[in-house]
Structures are given as structure tokens and as C-alpha cells.
Amino acid sequence: MKSARIHAFAENPDDIQVVDVAKPAPVAGQVFVRMLMSPVNPSDLNCLHGTYRHALERVVWNYGKHDPSQTVFYDPTLSNACPMPPHALGGEGVGIVEDAGSGFLARRLLGKRIALASGPPNGTWQEYTVVDAKRAVALPDAISNEQGAMYFVNPITAYVLTREVLRVPRGGWLLVTAAGSALGKSVVRLGKLYGFKTLCVVRGSANTQELLQLGADAVVETSTQKLQAEVFRITQGKGVGYAIDCVGGELAAEVLRCLGLDGHMALYGRLANSPMQLTVRDLMMPVASVSGFLLPNWMAQQSPLKLLSVMRAVKKLTVQGVFATEVAEVYALDQVADAVRAASRSGRTGKVMLRMASA
Ligand SMILES: NC(=O)c1ccc[n+]([C@@H]2O[C@H](COP(=O)([O-])OP(=O)(O)OC[C@H]3O[C@@H](n4cnc5c(N)ncnc54)[C@H](OP(=O)(O)O)[C@@H]3O)[C@@H](O)[C@H]2O)c1
């Protein structure tokens, strides 16, 4: 079968090789999936570049592990290892379950079309993969392959950030950076649904009209407008109560200065690839707080009951179209390097997808 793999962390998409490998076999609790489609998400680029690995080397529970031969873990219980290449890429997707290991959870998915959240080493950018049945959901007919392929990462993050982490109240202002992203647009729709106001920050104009049509309460284009001045004007000098940032760098530092009293900013990405300089007094004066967020580590801290209720809510909202994401371009698995280049281009209005099979 064809598999899009890296042999070492790489910056150049051409270093992803599509090679012929043996099909994996499901072990107990796993399903064997014939992949249909998969998105190219920013998190896939982190796996390509090795940025998760580099960040994990700095956390205290991996202290002293700088040698690439040492295993670093996502979590302090050392149960979720960050894999080192060589391995396949791809973090989520949609496919058909063709075989299953032992166990009720896996066997009940046999023959079903599922959304799966897998990841290296068992990536989704392959013709076939295996995944733990707990990380798969049978899809109703109402959810297309395209939306099914993007079922996990962004919808759950958008829901959890706004409803569980920040708990943005009805009428409150939520500032959203990189708001033209798939996740940003979902947050705007969540704002309409749950009654909070969204102040969308984008660097160009490619997504401005669509954001306004979706119901954004304000859009600030940082290429031509001054962010803090606009936030002052829009919120009548009060600042925003809540912010989510996935850009980092100078923008995140400026967003901090847009928070009102007791404001809360959640950091969940670093698209700018540069550290945020946190000026302590910018945090002290508004008595504000900043927190970090990584979906798998948030999920690992939740009770099974909480996870069940989140998954139910996300499924219902997906069927309602709250997380609908436009597909900008579709590439064949052999064209994976072009797909990664397309996903890295500025001014996109939808997702870049890989298609492994049609049905
Ligand atoms: N922490 C977590 O658990 C978690 C989970 C899910 C997603 N995320 C993060 O959520 C973010 C959005 O993901 P997505 O899949 O929705 O993204 P996406 O649809 O691929 O869109 C990415 C967006 O980021 C913008 N962007 C890229 N680099 C930027 C920069 N340097 N400054 C400002 N804007 C920039 C692009 O805008 P332009 O058109 O201006 O280029 C584009 O609109 C990513 O950072 C991802 O890693 C985090």
C-alpha cells in the first residue's frame, strides 16, 4: 500500500516520500481502515517539522532528554509518546473499517464509515491505517466524507475552548486570531449559536466578507488596521473579556493588551513560529490570565462522562453544520508535497485535502 512518510523531521515538503509498505494488522482494540480522505492541518506540519518534539523536550517531565534516541512524552504519566520518524504522517481523516482486532468496541465498527483521529506513527496519509477504536466514530449519512475527515481536531477544539475552557458568557466579547482558519469560522458560528460576540482578527482580507456573513461582530485586518485601537473602539474602551490565539509572537503580545479587567486568553497554536514576549505588567494591570491548550492533553484530564458529553455535543453541532469547512483544493496521495505547499500558502479560504480513495 502507499504511505506518505518522513524519514527524519524536515522543513521541505519534498522530503515527504510516498512509498510502498506492508499493510498494518490491527491488534486487540484496533480497527483496520481503508482511508478515503484526510485534511492537511497545521498540526500535520508540526509533525513534519518536529516542533512537537522540540517543545516536549522543554517540559519538566521530559527534563534532560535532548538526545533524539530518547523518548519524550506528551504527558507526565509518560503514557503518550511523541514518535520519532521514520513514520507515516496525517492526524485525522475518514475511512471504511475493513477489519478489526478483538474486542467489542473494535468489532462493532466493522464495515462502517468512520471519522478517525490517528496520527504518527499510524498516520492517516496512507491507503490503509490502524487506529484504536476509541479514537474512531461511526459517521451518520448526513455527514459527508469531506466534513467527516475533519470531524475531530478543529470541531472539538473550537467547542472545548469556548464552552469548557473559557466558558464565554452570552453577550461577552471573544477575540479570535487567525479567524479565517477553519477553526476560527467554527468559533464564529458557535458565537451566533451561544450568544457571545466575536471580534475576528485576520492579517489579510481574503476571509473578511465570509466572516461577516457567518455572523462575526467585527473583523480587524492587521495589515491595514491597528489592533488595539480597533479593540478600544469596538468595545467602547473596555477591552475583550476573552481571547483565543493560535499565532503567537508579537500578535499574541498585542492581544494580551486588548484584554479587559479579569480577561482570559487561551494560547493554542504558534503559526507565527516566534515566541510571545510576555510583559509581566501587561498581565498584572488587567489582572488577566493566560493559559495554554493542547486538545489531547486536555482530553486526558477529563472524566469519561465529560468526554462523552463533549463528543455528543460536537456530533450534534456537526450535523447542524456548525463546523462546516469549505474544501479549497483536493490532491491525490502521490501529490502530498504539493498539498503541503498549498496548505502553507497565505490567503486560503478553505482546507487542503488529500484523497486516498473515492468510496
Ligand atoms: N492546541 C490544539 O489542541 C489545537 C487543536 C486544533 C487546532 N489548533 C490550531 O488552530 C489553528 C488553526 O487551525 P486550522 O486547521 O483551523 O487552520 P487553517 O484552516 O489551516 O488556517 C490557518 C489560518 O492561519 C492563518 N495564519 C497562518 N500563519 C499566520 C500568521 N503567521 N499570522 C496570522 N495568521 C496566520 C492563515 O491566514 P492567512 O490567510 O492570513 O495566511 C489561515 O487562515 C492552528 O494553529 C492549529 O495548530 C490547535
Side-chain angles (χ1 to χ4, degrees):
M1 67 163 197
K2 281 185 195 168
S3 168
R5 308 173 82 78
I6 48 170
H7 291 87
F9 294 130
E11 290 302 316
N12 187 344
D14 289 322
D15 287 341
I16 309 172
Q17 292 175 353
V18 180
V19 292
D20 227 355
V21 297
K23 288 179 187 167
V27 298
Q30 282 186 334
V31 289
F32 172 78
V33 188
R34 181 165 59 84
M35 290 303 304
L36 299 177
M37 290 190 97
S38 182
V40 180
N41 284 327
S43 51
D44 297 315
L45 306 187
N46 293 336
C47 293
L48 168 65
H49 301 147
T51 34
Y52 288 140
R53 164 86 198 190
H54 303 322
L56 288 170
E57 283 174 1
R58 294 195 299 271
V59 298
V60 68
W61 59 81
N62 291 316
Y63 180 75
K65 293 182 181 170
H66 301 302
D67 187 320
S69 67
Q70 292 172 298
T71 307
V72 302
F73 293 86
Y74 279 93
D75 58 315
T77 59
L78 311 187
S79 55
N80 189 9
C82 177
M84 281 295 280
H87 57 58
L89 292 169
E92 65 175 341
V94 63
I96 311 280
V97 175
E98 291 201 339
D99 196 3
S102 59
F104 169 74
L105 279 184
R107 310 269 339 149
R108 95 201 144 106
L109 291 174
L110 264 174
K112 301 239 165 80
R113 189 176 63 114
I114 58 159
L116 64 150
S118 187
N122 295 317
T124 54
W125 294 359
Q126 312 189 83
E127 288 181 312
Y128 296 88
T129 194
V130 287
V131 66
D132 193 321
K134 290 193 198 113
R135 297 167 66 113
V137 167
L139 290 172
D141 291 344
I143 299 178
S144 67
N145 283 346
E146 285 78 1
Q147 300 310 312
M150 299 181 271
Y151 184 88
F152 278 100
V153 178
N154 284 331
I156 303 176
T157 302
Y159 179 84
V160 167
L161 276 174
T162 54
R163 305 297 294 159
E164 298 286 340
V165 175
L166 296 181
R167 296 172 182 266
V168 188
R170 194 165 271 280
W173 274 108
L174 173 67
L175 184 154
V176 185
T177 62
S181 62
L183 194 144
K185 288 172 188 168
S186 295
V187 167
V188 169
R189 290 199 201 90
L190 287 169
K192 291 307 284 176
L193 193 68
Y194 293 108
F196 59 82
K197 293 183 277 189
T198 46
L199 195 160
C200 292
V201 181
V202 288
R203 56 180 175 179
S205 57
N207 286 290
T208 300
Q209 281 317 311
E210 188 185 346
L211 286 166
L212 290 169
Q213 274 158 16
L214 290 175
D217 295 275
V219 180
V220 177
E221 294 176 6
T222 54
S223 49
T224 53
Q225 293 176 293
K226 288 202 185 321
L227 179 59
Q228 202 185 23
E230 285 305 306
V231 172
F232 181 85
R233 183 184 64 75
I234 293 162
T235 63
Q236 282 127 33
K238 292 195 176 63
V240 294
Y242 305 87
I244 54 173
D245 175 65
C246 61
V247 175
E250 282 175 25
L251 182 68
E254 190 169 5
V255 172
L256 187 59
R257 295 191 287 275
C258 294
L259 291 177
L261 263 188
D262 207 24
H264 183 176
M265 165 156 101
L267 303 174
Y268 70 104
R270 26 72 71 208
L271 290 166
N273 198 17
S274 63
M276 166 193 181
Q277 190 172 4
L278 201 155
T279 305
V280 176
R281 290 203 187 277
D282 291 353
L283 201 57
M284 287 165 61
M285 298 307 163
V287 206
S289 49
V290 175
S291 56
F293 179 84
L294 187 75
L295 182 63
N297 280 2
W298 182 88
M299 290 180 94
Q301 289 177 295
Q302 308 308 311
S303 67
L305 212 61
K306 165 61 76 182
L307 289 178
L308 196 66
S309 85
V310 166
M311 292 310 294
R312 280 204 179 127
V314 169
K315 189 168 191 174
K316 196 167 151 209
L317 294 169
T318 302
V319 173
Q320 286 172 17
V322 170
F323 305 115
T325 296
E326 190 191 319
V327 173
E329 294 170 70
V330 182
Y331 290 81
L333 190 57
D334 285 325
Q335 302 168 298
V336 63
D338 290 332
V340 167
R341 267 187 284 276
S344 310
R345 265 198 291 276
S346 187
R348 265 188 301 114
T349 54
K351 272 282 169 199
V352 173
M353 309 281 295
L354 287 169
R355 193 193 302 282
M356 275 61 84
S358 304

